[in-house]
């Protein structure tokens, strides 16, 4: 038994580090990063700006469209069906921003404060704006 205990701590820590997505961030942390006007909320233009930058970062082949593997963990298969309007197996910028706008509106229709960003709907939005 004593042989296994020291082994559990590194394994548990490694599982936590590997299993935690990069976008696991609190609403307060997100506001510090992206709130440009210091009003403690995110407005749609701030979110669109962040989402546009993320699109460029995850577009690994610079094809000006995201392939399924590039959105893994961010968009579900159902999201792909809903947002890939032209059915071309790629999410173009206009489709990406449509997803961002929809998730923004699902979290709140005007401004996102910490509470909205920390909500389940806000957390879905966060996946589309930070790496």
């Amino acid at each position: 038994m004593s042989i296994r205990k020291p082994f559990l701590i590194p394994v548990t820590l490694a599982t936590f580090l590997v299993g935690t997505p990069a976008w696991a961030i609190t609403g307060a942390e997100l506001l510090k990063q992206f709130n440009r006007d210091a009003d403690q909320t995110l407005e749609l233009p701030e979110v669109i700006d962040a989402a546009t930058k993320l699109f460029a970062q995850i577009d690994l082949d610079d094809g000006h469209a995201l392939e399924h593997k590039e959105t893994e963990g961010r968009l579900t298969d159902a999201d792909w069906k809903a947002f890939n309007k032209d059915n071309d197996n790629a999410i173009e910028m206009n489709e990406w921003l449509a997803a961002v706008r929809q998730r923004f509106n699902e979290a709140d229709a005007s401004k996102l404060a910490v509470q909205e960003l920390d909500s389940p709907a806000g957390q879905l939005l966060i996946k589309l704006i930070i790496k």
Side-chain angles (χ1 to χ4, degrees):
M1 286 285 201
S2 64
I3 295 173
R4 292 184 182 176
K5 286 183 183 179
F7 182 70
L8 286 177
I9 293 171
V11 169
T12 304
L13 180 60
T15 302
F16 172 76
L17 293 175
V18 172
T20 303
W23 54 79
I25 187 172
T26 67
E29 292 168 326
L30 193 74
L31 284 176
K32 285 179 190 174
Q33 261 186 288
F34 296 107
N35 181 233
R36 294 186 302 240
D37 57 10
D39 67 350
Q40 300 306 308
T41 64
L42 286 182
E43 291 85 18
L44 187 57
E46 293 167 320
V47 171
I48 293 290
D49 183 53
T52 301
K53 289 175 182 170
L54 176 64
F55 183 97
Q57 289 175 345
I58 64 175
D59 182 15
L60 301 177
D61 60 0
D62 291 325
H64 305 289
L66 300 176
E67 298 168 11
H68 212 293
K69 66 180 178 178
E70 293 169 322
T71 65
E72 196 170 288
R74 297 174 193 282
L75 296 176
T76 65
D77 289 339
D79 292 333
W80 265 82
K81 288 178 184 171
F83 298 120
N84 186 18
K85 298 294 185 189
D86 55 7
N87 257 351
D88 65 350
N89 293 319
I91 298 287
E92 288 83 14
M93 180 66 79
N94 64 323
E95 294 167 328
W96 180 256
L97 294 180
V100 169
R101 284 183 188 92
Q102 179 177 321
R103 290 199 176 162
F104 182 92
N105 290 333
E106 288 170 356
D108 190 284
S110 59
K111 296 181 176 190
L112 303 177
V114 170
Q115 300 87 316
E116 289 90 13
L117 292 167
D118 286 337
S119 73
Q123 290 296 303
L124 287 175
L125 173 65
I126 287 172
K127 292 179 180 183
L128 301 184
I129 62 175
I130 66 167
K131 191 161 184 177

